[in-house]
Amino acid sequence: MITTDFVPGSPCWLDLGAPDVPAAAAFYGAVLGWDYESMGEGGDMEGGMFRRDGKIVAGLGKLTEEGARPAWMIYYCVADADATTEAVRSAGGTVRVAPMDLDEWGRMAQYSDPLGGQFAVWQPGTNKGVELVDQPGSLSWTELYTSDAGAAKEFYGGVFGWQFSDMELPGGGGTYALITPAGQPEERMHGGLMELPKESLALADGRPYWHPVFAVADCDAAVAKVTENGGSVQMGPEDAEGVGRLAVCLDPANADFVVLTPTNPS
């Protein structure tokens, strides 16, 4: 489970790069019950915060990078963004945005893994990260689709010290690797990675990609909201034994995310 006492290597923030900020705010408001709080309108700096029950659950910004696809960016907590940057370089990754201070809130950096999967880190200052997780309408899991699970484990294990445990998916669906932060017990597990053929990664032109899993009270109702509001469904809704009922969705700009009603909701 994800908690808000963020330990090194655990997900602590996420934001969406969207071509149309008001449209994205309206879509996720309808699907996940989020309220949008604008921090600026118009121009490249357009964006703001999503809240659920008054608590910050994610950020939203204007997609400005040339050639970039609309997507969620997941940030992992680190004690030292500069040291992490060196670890990324040493492990064969690429620095997309060098470590930079965001006022007194914290220090961030963005990277690509050796196969092109994009992720980010957050060194907390006064802002530790999102304020609500593992509840309906908030982040409950993070997931990497990659064409080389072994290479991904080597890279992310080297950068974050993550612990991996493999499980076989039912029906010959392959192997799923569960991720736990370094030195933490299994109940702090926060994500997983799955190997898929490159042709199944067409959303990112064959490159790996991370996406968030949002807890919802009713998966089928959430999927209905997705389609009613211009999104689409890649897979599901379907039941996953021991996990819950889930669906892989795309928002109207084709940013991917998962909605999950857990088997044993917290």
Side-chain angles (χ1 to χ4, degrees):
M1 65 183 292
I2 297 175
T3 65
T4 53
D5 61 331
F6 305 114
V7 297
S10 66
C12 63
W13 181 257
L14 70 163
D15 52 39
L16 175 66
D20 185 331
V21 167
F27 173 81
Y28 287 97
V31 172
L32 296 172
W34 288 352
D35 298 311
Y36 177 60
E37 181 180 303
S38 175
M39 297 178 71
E41 296 181 7
D44 290 352
M45 298 304 290
E46 183 180 3
M49 302 291 181
F50 284 119
R51 292 181 183 268
R52 170 84 183 217
D53 300 329
K55 296 181 177 180
I56 294 172
V57 289
L60 172 61
K62 179 86 170 178
L63 184 68
T64 57
E65 184 179 343
E66 190 71 31
R69 76 177 184 96
W72 284 96
M73 180 70 71
I74 299 171
Y75 293 71
Y76 294 95
C77 179
V78 295
D80 186 332
D82 296 271
T84 302
T85 298
E86 290 310 308
V88 166
R89 288 196 180 106
S90 297
T94 303
V95 179
R96 298 181 61 252
V97 178
M100 58 183 288
D101 290 322
L102 297 180
D103 297 325
E104 73 281 3
W105 297 339
R107 192 164 172 78
M108 63 81 72
Q110 294 186 2
Y111 315 107
S112 293
D113 68 25
L115 293 177
Q118 297 182 359
F119 67 105
V121 298
W122 180 252
Q123 177 186 328
T126 57
N127 188 320
K128 306 302 181 190
V130 293
E131 297 170 345
L132 183 71
V133 294
D134 212 40
Q135 299 292 325
S138 68
L139 182 69
S140 66
W141 193 252
T142 64
E143 196 165 60
L144 174 68
Y145 289 167
T146 180
S147 58
D148 191 333
K153 288 179 183 178
E154 183 176 355
F155 173 77
Y156 290 101
V159 170
F160 292 122
W162 284 346
Q163 305 162 139
F164 299 98
S165 56
D166 288 349
M167 61 175 281
E168 294 303 315
L169 295 173
T175 302
Y176 192 85
L178 300 161
I179 304 169
T180 305
Q184 295 296 311
E186 272 193 4
E187 56 261 30
R188 293 303 299 267
M189 200 178 281
H190 66 252
L193 66 87
M194 186 171 178
E195 184 170 302
L196 295 169
K198 278 194 174 182
E199 54 267 27
S200 296
L201 304 174
L203 204 58
D205 298 323
R207 297 188 306 274
Y209 56 92
W210 286 95
H211 57 214
V213 178
F214 298 116
V216 292
D218 183 331
C219 179
D220 294 73
V223 166
K225 289 289 187 183
V226 167
T227 56
E228 285 169 14
N229 288 276
S232 58
V233 181
Q234 286 193 303
M235 185 196 82
E238 63 182 44
D239 295 317
E241 187 179 351
V243 177
R245 190 160 176 80
L246 59 86
V248 182
C249 303
L250 298 175
D251 71 17
N254 281 347
D256 56 303
F257 64 100
V258 175
V259 290
L260 167 69
T261 301
T263 301
N264 297 303
S266 54

